[in-house]
Amino acid sequence: MHKYIFKRLLWVIPVLFGVSLIVFAIMHFSPGDPATVILGESAKPEAIAQLREQMGLNQPFIVQYFRYIGNAVFKLDLGRSFINNRPVIGEILIRLPNTIKLAGLSITLAAIVGIPLGVIASRKPYSALDNTTMFVSLLGVSMPTFWQGLLLILVFSLQLRMFPSTGFETWQQMVLPVITLASSSIGSIARITRSSMLDVMGQDFIRTAKAKGISEFRVVYVHILRNALLPVVTVIGLQFGSLLGGAVLTESIFSINGLGTLMVNAIRQRDLVVVQGGVLFIAFIFTLVNLCVDVLYAYIDPRIRSQYK
Amino acid sequence: MRFRKSKLVLVLVTLGVFLTACSTGGGGTGGKDTLTVASSADAVTFDIQNTNDQATTRVARQMYEPLIQQNDALELVPGLAESWTALDDTTYEFKLKKDVKFHNGEPFTAKDVEYTMKRAAESEQIGHIVGELDVSKIKVVDDYTIQLGTKEPFGPFLTHLAHPATAILNEKAVTEGGEDYGTNPVGTGPYKFASWIAGSEINVERFEDYHGTPGATEKIKFKVIKENSVRLISLETGEIDIAYDIAPSDIAKVEENKDLTMLKDPNLSTGYIGFNVQSDTPIKDVKVRQAINYAIDVDAILSTVYQGVGSKANGPLNHLVFGADKNPLGYEYDVEKAKALLTEAGYPTGGFTLKLYVGDNNAQRIAIAEIVKEELSKLGITVEITQLEWATYLDATGKGEHDLFILGWTTITTDADYGLYPLFHSSEFGKAGNRSFYKNERVDELLDKGKSTVNPDERLAIYKEAQELISVDAPWIFVNDGENDTAISNKVKGFAHHPSGSHFLSGVSVED
């Protein structure tokens, strides 16, 4: 098992290499010159040329790339922002806690609400209860985050004055953004739980369990749910990963200072260094989350655990 | 003994809490001790010579001071210089204020001015603002007297020195701060830097040793709230006191709210639709450009797209700018005239296609693009709209890939030179500003002359002629002059707009 985890950790290195190369190449070869953006529409061409020289943008692609990777690996230095000259690593670390808190709380809420919803729906497939639960979860998935966030602000901040509309420090400030971000994941988790439950329910060992006279509750929550959890865990892992990088809209509606807004601003301003640093970080966390999911499989499913031995 | 010690601590803590509670109860004015202001973007860096953006200036203006200030009426008034005299056409002498201290305790002297000006001249971001300054003519006469000169006579020199980006820095602070000076700024202004949570908020505090009238509120908090609607809601719920940049569609909502006040005042920006006069299409012909000018209903754009925000542009210069012609230089909406001109030019039924480029970051400009397409289809001209990401857009229009484009310009120096030279002089083709690739030798001559003339009346006459020529040549369709739109809580006292968009806040207070 430990050997397996170690091996998986080693895999992070080539993944990060690949990600950094792709991001670097995309940013390098896309149109739009960082120096022009930094200096604005009223800058003199000589000033732009001088800044390009200073930023090292005139050097060949490969030289730029390896210099970047060298600094990142050996000095833990991701460079300084083109725009405000602050160290990129600092810019990321300031915002990382907010993003992790937001994504973590949202995925927890989504799991706590989503799994029971899925279980309830699967108990009597195609009944009114099932249809209602699935309709609600579909609504959660399909409602645009943007619209939903503003709606919550209108009702709970402006009308009822229960929660503030911006910020992310106190628990009151966290309520609305977490609900907004969680609602689409709740839908996905509920739907996958339901279908996975239905799959397991039809299998022979469940009939056997029922025939042995085990209580309904035990059959559902121990025998069926435990076996149905594998795909659910996968989905939760994937959702968490995408929430880390994909919370942009929620962050921007509630003025939360997170990685998403940092990245979007950086992309707009052609702040290559920040974009690269941010993507590398998200890729790193994403790989770790995937690793955790795989390890969790082993704990949930003895069949998988036995393969590691 | 131990028991007594803990008791003592308890007493001290209680006292401390009590005192803090008292002090946060408000200063002598009885108002709130913190003014909270929200805008849509975060500052870039407070090394103000390394940026030239409004979000930064809005905060920096409270911490830094230039030699000359331009007040809300755009008059030049003393800043750190008490008075100034022109020694000749290219040299000015400034008498500096005494007893001015920087936030780090250092005294302000002529040496700081010398350091600031030399450093500014090297800056890529603001070099153009002090561009005509001749560094070799800087002469420190004594601690409180300094001479600054230009290479050639330069009419708007004093106005350029009033630009917030030329505010005076302290050499020691800049050197000590090194690469991190931008987050540890030191100025002479009424407020000093306190803290900055990047992307979220900036806090400044009243500078107790300020040489002028002290700030009315103890602290100012600048919050970043990107979403227009959320910024407004935060104002409605009382989380903030002032909300900058209210969207045109939200103005009516503010005006209906009896707890809020909507402030609308003209700013220094102007919006236009430009032609690439050298593109390989019929718009090379001035008659076709005039025809298109007649065919666009600018009033309709103002009422539908801008919903009454701002005013119709008179000509290429915003109406507040020194040298702006007061007569309307645009073309009245007249489709028949447009058709007649097209026929004269040899395109009675249109029959050609134009590429219109627009940036993707401005909803109003995108809407204008649609209107242009619609209006020109009536003349048989096909318009293909290309929406580009902002950086790509600047690149493409700089290279002249477009036939038509939509853009704006803010004449930050408030002088016609900066409002016309980069946009219409043939030495400024492309990225430098002249994205119309417009060239008229007489206009070039006039713009050069306007720059090097010092007499204001002569300059007015020169710029008047230049604007009239530009209007006839029609490299632009003049659209609108912009407006500052700020919503404030009725508890806010003493707030007024500055036309530049970065407003002075030291006189602003908030009632409890």
Side-chain angles (χ1 to χ4, degrees), chain A:
Chain A
M1 190 70 194
H2 294 294
K3 213 168 141 196
Y4 172 76
I5 295 178
F6 181 70
K7 252 197 205 155
R8 285 294 310 265
L9 273 174
L10 280 184
W11 262 107
V12 173
I13 297 168
V15 167
L16 289 185
F17 240 103
V19 168
S20 65
L21 188 64
I22 293 170
V23 177
F24 209 92
I26 291 175
M27 294 300 286
H28 187 85
F29 295 112
S30 61
D33 171 30
T36 313
V37 178
I38 293 170
L39 296 181
E41 52 195 62
S42 51
K44 296 260 177 281
E46 309 88 69
I48 294 176
Q50 201 186 334
L51 187 64
R52 283 186 61 85
E53 185 63 43
Q54 257 180 33
M55 290 163 62
L57 291 171
N58 293 331
Q59 288 172 328
F61 169 74
I62 283 296
V63 176
Q64 289 186 41
Y65 175 69
F66 278 103
R67 199 185 44 205
Y68 177 75
I69 289 296
N71 283 338
V73 174
F74 297 111
K75 298 185 203 153
L76 282 181
D77 174 13
L78 296 177
R80 277 175 179 263
S81 155
F82 288 165
I83 305 289
N84 58 24
N85 198 34
R86 294 191 210 172
V88 172
I89 191 99
E91 293 283 273
I92 293 173
L93 290 180
I94 291 174
R95 293 163 170 90
L96 195 64
N98 275 345
T99 301
I100 289 188
K101 253 191 276 174
L102 177 62
L105 287 172
S106 302
I107 204 68
T108 313
L109 178 70
I112 292 175
V113 179
I115 296 176
L117 268 185
V119 172
I120 294 168
S122 70
R123 295 290 296 115
K124 293 204 175 86
Y126 309 111
S127 67
L129 186 67
D130 179 26
N131 286 337
T132 320
T133 336
M134 284 305 105
F135 176 75
V136 171
S137 68
L138 184 67
L139 209 63
V141 180
S142 24
M143 249 196 308
T145 312
F146 205 80
W147 181 78
Q148 198 195 337
L150 283 178
L151 200 74
L152 288 176
I153 289 181
L154 275 180
V155 176
F156 293 99
S157 294
L158 191 61
Q159 300 299 328
L160 303 175
R161 305 271 161 130
M162 281 168 70
F163 303 108
S165 57
T166 58
F168 201 66
E169 277 120 48
T170 61
W171 71 266
Q172 289 96 333
Q173 287 174 320
M174 293 181 190
V175 173
L176 298 184
V178 167
I179 293 177
T180 307
L181 192 58
S183 68
S184 71
S185 303
I186 291 178
S188 311
I189 293 174
R191 296 180 82 83
I192 195 82
T193 309
R194 175 182 175 273
S195 66
S196 178
M197 291 279 289
L198 288 178
D199 269 355
V200 179
M201 254 180 228
Q203 291 186 22
D204 291 343
F205 72 93
I206 298 298
R207 202 179 320 129
T208 314
K210 282 184 180 161
K212 275 161 68 183
I214 297 174
S215 76
E216 178 80 9
F217 183 84
R218 219 180 131 75
V219 170
V220 170
Y221 287 93
V222 177
H223 294 261
I224 306 182
L225 183 59
R226 179 146 188 198
N227 282 289
L229 268 184
L230 271 193
V232 178
V233 170
T234 314
V235 166
I236 291 178
L238 286 176
Q239 290 276 340
F240 183 65
S242 70
L243 288 189
L244 280 175
V248 180
L249 284 180
T250 313
E251 286 180 359
S252 104
I253 296 167
F254 293 96
S255 302
I256 297 168
N257 195 19
L259 270 190
T261 32
L262 176 73
M263 300 277 289
V264 169
N265 280 341
I267 291 170
R268 290 213 81 94
Q269 298 174 315
R270 280 289 186 280
D271 200 346
L272 303 187
V273 211
V274 175
V275 177
Q276 282 149 18
V279 171
L280 273 184
F281 238 85
I282 291 177
F284 181 64
I285 299 175
F286 203 98
T287 343
L288 284 189
V289 170
N290 268 332
L291 177 64
C292 294
V293 168
D294 284 354
V295 173
L296 247 153
Y297 278 177
Y299 282 100
I300 296 171
D301 194 336
R303 288 169 299 186
I304 296 179
R305 206 180 316 154
S306 66
Q307 286 172 14
Y308 291 141
K309 286 183 180 155

Side-chain angles (χ1 to χ4, degrees), chain B residues 347-377:
Chain B
Y347 305 96
T349 53
F352 54 91
T353 303
L354 298 175
K355 288 180 298 201
L356 168 57
Y357 280 25
V358 62
D360 69 349
N361 58 343
N362 186 312
Q364 282 89 18
R365 289 183 189 157
I366 295 167
I368 293 175
E370 294 295 339
I371 293 178
V372 171
K373 182 182 174 136
E374 180 64 32
E375 298 270 31
L376 294 193
S377 71

